Amino acid sequence: MAMIPELNKKPGVCYAYTDSGLELPVIDITHPAFHQEVSEEQLFAGAKRFAAEQAAKGPFARWLQGKLLPLFLKRSVIGRGLLRSREGYLDGLSTYLMKLGPGNLGSGWANAMDRNLVLGMNRAGMSLAQRLQDMAETLAAGLRPLLKEGTRPLHWINIAGGPSMDSLNALILLYKETPALFAGRPVQVHVLDLESEGAHFAAAALAALQGEGGPLHGLGATLNILAYDWSDPQPLTALLQALPANALVALSSEGGLFDYGDNAAVAANLKALHSASPADCVLAASLSRPVDADSPFQRQGIAKVLQRSLADLEALAPGWSIRGSLSRPINFVVGLRKTA
Ligand SMILES: C[S@@+](CC[C@H](N)C(=O)[O-])C[C@H]1O[C@@H](n2cnc3c(N)ncnc32)[C@H](O)[C@@H]1O
């Protein structure tokens, strides 16, 4: 395996290797290289501009674009990930690369096509970096008051977590804010995923973040990888039942269960989470929101996401209530709590 180190390291950023030998920056949303400062108005204005540009192209130009796009995509690392996602879902590491932002894509592997793809998505209001930040902030907001009570062990459970940056960044937000709340508190991140490469990167990233000078230095958190297929939630139930009785639990799935899982899988996983988790557990989810059939976002979609409104989610989630939601051009990020 050829190792591709990052030659232009940025001060204050941690780095970790993927299984395939790419050295990548570890996203820390409190660092200016990754923090998103785009307002909701700007995101929707970008989406509107993109829709207008696409509409102005006319049917032939759009048809040609559809034919040519795969040829261009083949030429870049991120593009090849997008092409693979036509089979179903975008893999965890390709998703991660799209969150890095054009300025953080390493010169050892990324080309202009990679950078333009990410730039284009961000400008069109489809930023995955924004989705990550929304997820981390939603998780942190739910946990903040609970951390003030004692030193209950903190367990993060990330379904289809891949690199699990939502859990790790919520942890960074909370730890940097008040490190004293973590003194004597065991912390463990559980990554549940069908594939292992993204989860391995999560483990390498957590180690880097806890290294000397990293934002989680001194925390002592551990990471547990569990092979998981959301079509059978039994291992999830077993994991929850094995946690300490006083555990504080933060559940999440970003770009995972709620974006790709069918209704039966979503309902079964929510039921398992509900029946085996503590009453005060915190849940954050991203959903792909419904867009019109003739929307350019519909045509651009490569991975087979299932679109859901907040009402669709509520119908699948008896015993859960939506406590807050962020509305973005192509997705929602939702915080949920148990009602009973
Ligand atoms: C778009 S990626 C999202 C990864 C990560 N949560 C993020 O937002 O960066 C989709 C993830 O879903 C996982 N996945 C797909 N089908 C799954 C299934 N049936 N059960 C569990 N995980 C699955 C993939 O392996 C991948 O890590």
Short mmCIF file of all heavy atoms in Angstrom, two decimals, residues 89-92 95 99 131 160-162 193-195 228-230 254-255 260, ligand 1:
data_model
loop_
_atom_site.label_atom_id
_atom_site.label_comp_id
_atom_site.label_asym_id
_atom_site.label_seq_id
_atom_site.Cartn_x
_atom_site.Cartn_y
_atom_site.Cartn_z
N TYR A 89 -25.41 3.61 -1.52
CA TYR A 89 -25.08 4.72 -0.61
C TYR A 89 -23.66 5.22 -0.87
O TYR A 89 -22.82 4.51 -1.42
CB TYR A 89 -25.21 4.27 0.85
CG TYR A 89 -24.35 3.07 1.20
CD1 TYR A 89 -23.02 3.23 1.57
CD2 TYR A 89 -24.86 1.77 1.15
CE1 TYR A 89 -22.22 2.15 1.87
CE2 TYR A 89 -24.06 0.67 1.45
CZ TYR A 89 -22.74 0.87 1.81
OH TYR A 89 -21.95 -0.20 2.10
N LEU A 90 -23.43 6.46 -0.44
CA LEU A 90 -22.09 7.03 -0.53
C LEU A 90 -21.28 6.48 0.65
O LEU A 90 -21.74 6.53 1.79
CB LEU A 90 -22.21 8.56 -0.44
CG LEU A 90 -20.94 9.37 -0.66
CD1 LEU A 90 -20.39 9.18 -2.08
CD2 LEU A 90 -21.21 10.86 -0.44
N ASP A 91 -20.10 5.92 0.36
CA ASP A 91 -19.34 5.30 1.45
C ASP A 91 -18.83 6.36 2.43
O ASP A 91 -18.74 7.55 2.12
CB ASP A 91 -18.18 4.47 0.88
CG ASP A 91 -17.13 5.35 0.24
OD1 ASP A 91 -16.23 5.80 0.96
OD2 ASP A 91 -17.21 5.62 -0.98
N GLY A 92 -18.50 5.89 3.63
CA GLY A 92 -18.17 6.80 4.72
C GLY A 92 -16.97 7.69 4.43
O GLY A 92 -16.96 8.87 4.78
N THR A 95 -17.74 10.39 1.84
CA THR A 95 -18.54 11.40 2.52
C THR A 95 -17.62 12.31 3.33
O THR A 95 -17.76 13.54 3.33
CB THR A 95 -19.57 10.73 3.47
OG1 THR A 95 -20.27 9.73 2.74
CG2 THR A 95 -20.56 11.73 4.04
N LYS A 99 -16.61 16.56 3.26
CA LYS A 99 -16.79 17.48 4.40
C LYS A 99 -15.55 18.33 4.65
O LYS A 99 -15.60 19.26 5.45
CB LYS A 99 -17.08 16.67 5.68
CG LYS A 99 -18.41 15.95 5.64
CD LYS A 99 -18.57 15.10 6.88
CE LYS A 99 -19.92 14.42 6.88
NZ LYS A 99 -20.12 13.55 8.02
N ARG A 131 -23.77 20.02 7.42
CA ARG A 131 -24.59 18.97 8.05
C ARG A 131 -23.89 18.40 9.27
O ARG A 131 -24.49 18.18 10.32
CB ARG A 131 -24.87 17.86 7.01
CG ARG A 131 -25.84 16.80 7.51
CD ARG A 131 -26.04 15.69 6.49
NE ARG A 131 -24.89 14.80 6.43
CZ ARG A 131 -24.76 13.80 5.55
NH1 ARG A 131 -25.70 13.58 4.64
NH2 ARG A 131 -23.68 13.02 5.56
N ALA A 160 -24.40 3.63 11.41
CA ALA A 160 -23.85 3.97 10.08
C ALA A 160 -22.85 5.11 10.24
O ALA A 160 -22.77 6.02 9.43
CB ALA A 160 -24.94 4.33 9.07
N GLY A 161 -22.08 5.03 11.32
CA GLY A 161 -21.22 6.15 11.73
C GLY A 161 -20.06 6.41 10.80
O GLY A 161 -19.62 7.56 10.67
N GLY A 162 -19.50 5.37 10.15
CA GLY A 162 -18.30 5.61 9.35
C GLY A 162 -17.29 6.37 10.21
O GLY A 162 -17.04 6.01 11.37
N ASP A 193 -21.49 -0.01 11.94
CA ASP A 193 -21.50 0.20 10.49
C ASP A 193 -21.35 -1.12 9.77
O ASP A 193 -20.72 -2.05 10.28
CB ASP A 193 -20.37 1.18 10.09
CG ASP A 193 -20.67 1.91 8.78
OD1 ASP A 193 -20.88 1.23 7.76
OD2 ASP A 193 -20.69 3.14 8.78
N LEU A 194 -21.90 -1.13 8.56
CA LEU A 194 -21.79 -2.29 7.68
C LEU A 194 -20.34 -2.45 7.21
O LEU A 194 -19.86 -3.56 7.01
CB LEU A 194 -22.68 -1.99 6.46
CG LEU A 194 -23.22 -3.07 5.58
CD1 LEU A 194 -24.00 -4.09 6.37
CD2 LEU A 194 -24.15 -2.43 4.52
N GLU A 195 -19.67 -1.32 7.01
CA GLU A 195 -18.30 -1.35 6.48
C GLU A 195 -17.33 -0.88 7.55
O GLU A 195 -17.71 -0.12 8.45
CB GLU A 195 -18.20 -0.41 5.27
CG GLU A 195 -19.07 -0.92 4.13
CD GLU A 195 -18.79 -0.21 2.83
OE1 GLU A 195 -17.98 0.74 2.83
OE2 GLU A 195 -19.37 -0.62 1.82
N TYR A 228 -22.42 -3.89 11.87
CA TYR A 228 -23.86 -3.73 12.08
C TYR A 228 -24.59 -3.53 10.77
O TYR A 228 -24.12 -2.77 9.91
CB TYR A 228 -24.09 -2.50 12.98
CG TYR A 228 -25.54 -2.27 13.38
CD1 TYR A 228 -26.19 -3.16 14.21
CD2 TYR A 228 -26.26 -1.18 12.90
CE1 TYR A 228 -27.52 -2.96 14.58
CE2 TYR A 228 -27.58 -0.96 13.26
CZ TYR A 228 -28.20 -1.87 14.10
OH TYR A 228 -29.52 -1.67 14.47
N ASP A 229 -25.72 -4.20 10.64
CA ASP A 229 -26.62 -3.97 9.50
C ASP A 229 -27.95 -3.54 10.10
O ASP A 229 -28.56 -4.30 10.86
CB ASP A 229 -26.76 -5.26 8.69
CG ASP A 229 -27.64 -5.07 7.47
OD1 ASP A 229 -28.38 -4.06 7.40
OD2 ASP A 229 -27.58 -5.93 6.57
N TRP A 230 -28.39 -2.34 9.75
CA TRP A 230 -29.60 -1.82 10.41
C TRP A 230 -30.84 -2.65 10.10
O TRP A 230 -31.88 -2.43 10.70
CB TRP A 230 -29.80 -0.34 10.09
CG TRP A 230 -29.94 0.03 8.63
CD1 TRP A 230 -30.79 -0.51 7.72
CD2 TRP A 230 -29.22 1.05 7.94
NE1 TRP A 230 -30.64 0.10 6.50
CE2 TRP A 230 -29.69 1.08 6.60
CE3 TRP A 230 -28.23 1.96 8.31
CZ2 TRP A 230 -29.19 1.96 5.63
CZ3 TRP A 230 -27.75 2.83 7.34
CH2 TRP A 230 -28.22 2.83 6.03
N GLU A 254 -25.92 10.16 11.02
CA GLU A 254 -25.81 11.26 10.06
C GLU A 254 -25.59 10.66 8.67
O GLU A 254 -24.68 9.84 8.49
CB GLU A 254 -24.60 12.17 10.42
CG GLU A 254 -24.48 13.33 9.46
CD GLU A 254 -23.11 14.00 9.46
OE1 GLU A 254 -22.29 13.73 10.36
OE2 GLU A 254 -22.86 14.78 8.52
N GLY A 255 -26.41 11.04 7.72
CA GLY A 255 -26.25 10.50 6.35
C GLY A 255 -26.31 8.99 6.35
O GLY A 255 -25.66 8.35 5.53
N TYR A 260 -31.00 6.55 4.24
CA TYR A 260 -30.98 5.40 3.31
C TYR A 260 -31.84 4.23 3.76
O TYR A 260 -32.21 3.39 2.95
CB TYR A 260 -29.55 4.86 3.17
CG TYR A 260 -28.59 5.79 2.49
CD1 TYR A 260 -27.63 6.51 3.22
CD2 TYR A 260 -28.60 5.95 1.10
CE1 TYR A 260 -26.73 7.35 2.59
CE2 TYR A 260 -27.69 6.79 0.47
CZ TYR A 260 -26.76 7.48 1.22
OH TYR A 260 -25.87 8.31 0.59
C1 LIG B 1 -23.08 8.54 3.55
S1 LIG B 1 -22.14 7.50 4.62
C2 LIG B 1 -22.31 8.38 6.17
C3 LIG B 1 -21.20 8.12 7.12
C4 LIG B 1 -21.14 9.09 8.31
N1 LIG B 1 -22.25 8.90 9.20
C5 LIG B 1 -21.07 10.52 7.84
O1 LIG B 1 -22.06 11.25 7.90
O2 LIG B 1 -20.01 10.91 7.38
C6 LIG B 1 -23.26 6.14 4.78
C7 LIG B 1 -22.82 5.10 5.79
O3 LIG B 1 -23.88 4.14 5.93
C8 LIG B 1 -23.30 2.85 6.10
N2 LIG B 1 -24.35 1.85 5.79
C9 LIG B 1 -24.94 1.66 4.59
N3 LIG B 1 -25.86 0.68 4.70
C10 LIG B 1 -25.85 0.26 5.99
C11 LIG B 1 -26.59 -0.72 6.72
N4 LIG B 1 -27.52 -1.47 6.13
N5 LIG B 1 -26.34 -0.88 8.03
C12 LIG B 1 -25.37 -0.13 8.64
N6 LIG B 1 -24.63 0.81 8.01
C13 LIG B 1 -24.87 1.00 6.69
C14 LIG B 1 -22.13 2.90 5.14
O4 LIG B 1 -21.18 1.88 5.38
C15 LIG B 1 -21.59 4.32 5.38
O5 LIG B 1 -20.64 4.35 6.41
#
